[in-house]
Amino acid sequence: MIRRPRRNRKTQSIRLLVEETQLSVTDFIYPLFVIEGVNKKEPIASMPGIFRFSSDILMNEIKECVDLGIKSFVLFPSIPDHKKDKLASESLNTEGLYLKTIQKIKHIFPEICLMTDVAMDPYSSDGHDGYAENGEIVNDLTLDILAKMAVAQARAGADILGPSDMMDGRILHIRKALDEDGFTNVSIMSYTAKYASAFYGPFRDALHSAPKFGDKKTYQMNPANRKEALIEAQLDVEEGADMLMVKPAMTYLDIISDLSNNFHLPIAAYNVSGEYAMIKAAAAKGWIDGEKVMIESLLSIKRAGAKIIITYFAKEAAKFLK
Ligand code: PBG
């Protein structure tokens, strides 16, 4: 045999020398859940190790993460049901939980990168990402609501806006609204290929944001489709997105790879709540080595072509990498 691939695996130092993919703490975006009140830290049953924090002690959590080297965060609000309505109007309340918390985070931690969520579902009495009328999600009406939400979040200090709603034309609509208000430096990370996935279950528990009727299949993508992701990506590029995201991550590595091979923008992947929950549950039962599986799955996401990984494992992985 002339070719013996095992020669490149013979010692740890050679294995490291030929290693193609490395994880870095700077790849991660850590999701944070904020609730109203003071001194609150509520565990989320289906996401062991993840909590809903009131904004005062959320600052301690961010400090801990910053000390571990995490520099980027994405914030989601858990809004009480009585503040939800059809138009998601609470999302524009400058005295409300979300916008206040964004301001506070950027005031205390000006150097971190804060990404926000642009979608109606946390504030919608219908639990949908868009405006619902007679059981349908109305695209163009939703765009105006999203654009207002985006500008409000930019004004509060967001660095990156993450439209997670999958309406058509939203990136251009939001970009124009931001630029008209002078927020030309606020970035957009598009949820480019967001699939209608059952892996979002624990997140919807965390925010009590499950749809009140139907499902999200008329706007989120069919898990059977691959080429359609390229159409979405092309539109997002044309409409002015700064980064493209695939969601979920582990069951969509082919999509991450396609986007990374066909577009020059940075690719992100959202390692979603159900992916986290599966690993945590199996590890708790002693069926897998949770830490090893965590690192292996994060590596697979990066190897597929994602530079940025939004993951509930960020804190644990940061500790491991240290
Ligand atoms: C909705 C939104 C969802 C997630 C992030 N933004 C859920 C959904 O589309 O129903 C899921 C994230 C996760 O599961 O970790 N705008």
Side-chain angles (χ1 to χ4, degrees):
M1 268 186 274
I2 303 276
R3 307 282 314 173
R4 285 185 182 269
R6 284 186 58 193
R7 274 195 289 268
N8 284 347
R9 301 176 205 140
K10 68 184 168 193
T11 63
Q12 170 75 347
S13 45
I14 291 184
R15 287 194 293 275
L16 286 171
L17 194 63
V18 301
E19 186 169 271
E20 298 174 40
T21 310
Q22 275 102 23
L23 289 171
S24 159
V25 65
T26 54
D27 301 332
F28 303 142
I29 300 180
Y30 191 44
L32 302 167
F33 298 110
V34 65
I35 48 172
E36 292 184 347
V38 287
N39 200 24
K40 284 202 176 135
K41 178 180 181 178
E42 298 177 356
I44 299 163
S46 48
M47 301 173 75
I50 304 295
F51 301 84
R52 281 178 291 247
F53 293 100
S54 54
S55 72
D56 51 343
I57 56 171
L58 183 67
M59 302 305 140
N60 307 341
E61 173 72 2
I62 296 174
K63 176 72 172 59
E64 231 179 84
C65 293
V66 167
D67 291 342
L68 286 167
I70 299 170
K71 297 185 187 308
S72 299
F73 300 84
V74 57
L75 183 68
F76 297 100
S78 178
I79 304 291
D81 276 344
H82 71 270
K83 293 195 177 162
K84 298 183 182 180
D85 62 19
K86 278 197 85 63
L87 291 169
S89 21
E90 179 63 17
S91 66
L92 302 179
N93 179 3
T94 48
E95 295 304 309
L97 174 68
Y98 198 54
L99 298 176
K100 274 281 172 210
T101 307
I102 295 168
Q103 266 180 13
K104 189 165 171 178
I105 294 174
K106 285 303 293 185
H107 179 70
I108 300 181
F109 304 99
E111 73 290 351
I112 70 161
C113 167
L114 184 61
M115 174 165 152
T116 54
D117 186 50
V118 182
M120 290 174 66
D121 57 317
Y123 322 89
S124 152
S125 45
D126 294 307
H128 276 285
D129 295 25
Y131 177 72
E133 209 174 67
N134 307 321
E136 272 184 41
I137 308 305
V138 187
N139 196 88
D140 297 10
L141 252 168
T142 302
L143 295 184
D144 290 327
I145 299 170
L146 296 176
K148 286 197 189 102
M149 208 185 282
V151 169
Q153 294 174 5
R155 188 165 289 129
D159 298 292
I160 302 179
L161 302 178
S164 63
D165 54 285
M166 289 302 281
M167 297 301 120
D168 291 337
R170 70 209 198 279
I171 302 302
L172 182 62
H173 210 82
I174 291 172
R175 186 70 269 163
K176 277 188 176 159
L178 289 173
D179 290 358
E180 273 164 23
D181 274 62
F183 296 109
T184 51
N185 283 333
V186 174
S187 315
I188 301 176
M189 179 190 289
S190 178
Y191 284 61
T192 296
K194 176 173 180 180
Y195 286 87
S197 169
F199 284 97
Y200 309 147
F203 176 96
R204 293 179 189 171
D205 292 346
L207 297 193
H208 309 292
S209 65
K212 299 290 187 298
F213 67 85
D215 52 41
K216 298 191 175 184
K217 289 180 185 169
T218 67
Y219 44 107
Q220 298 181 348
M221 286 172 58
N222 179 348
N225 292 356
R226 183 166 177 177
K227 285 190 279 189
E228 196 179 340
L230 295 171
I231 298 176
E232 287 286 0
Q234 191 182 337
L235 289 171
D236 284 350
V237 171
E238 287 165 9
E239 291 179 31
D242 299 286
M243 304 169 196
L244 306 177
M245 189 219 288
V246 174
K247 176 181 176 184
M250 283 163 61
T251 39
Y252 296 86
L253 296 179
D254 53 335
I255 313 300
I256 296 173
S257 166
D258 284 355
L259 260 52
S260 157
N261 288 331
N262 288 288
F263 297 92
H264 300 306
L265 290 175
I267 305 298
Y270 199 140
N271 181 213
V272 298
S273 57
E275 300 177 290
Y276 177 83
M278 281 197 304
I279 293 175
K280 283 291 174 192
K285 284 195 174 269
W287 292 349
I288 57 170
D289 179 326
E291 188 171 79
K292 289 203 174 102
V293 171
M294 163 184 79
I295 294 297
E296 186 175 333
S297 38
L298 293 172
L299 263 179
S300 77
I301 295 166
K302 192 159 183 199
R303 189 191 64 230
K307 166 57 182 72
I308 302 161
I309 307 174
I310 303 175
T311 180
Y312 302 97
F313 284 119
K315 227 175 138 183
E316 257 179 278
K319 284 181 196 158
F320 175 87
L321 294 171
K322 258 194 170 174

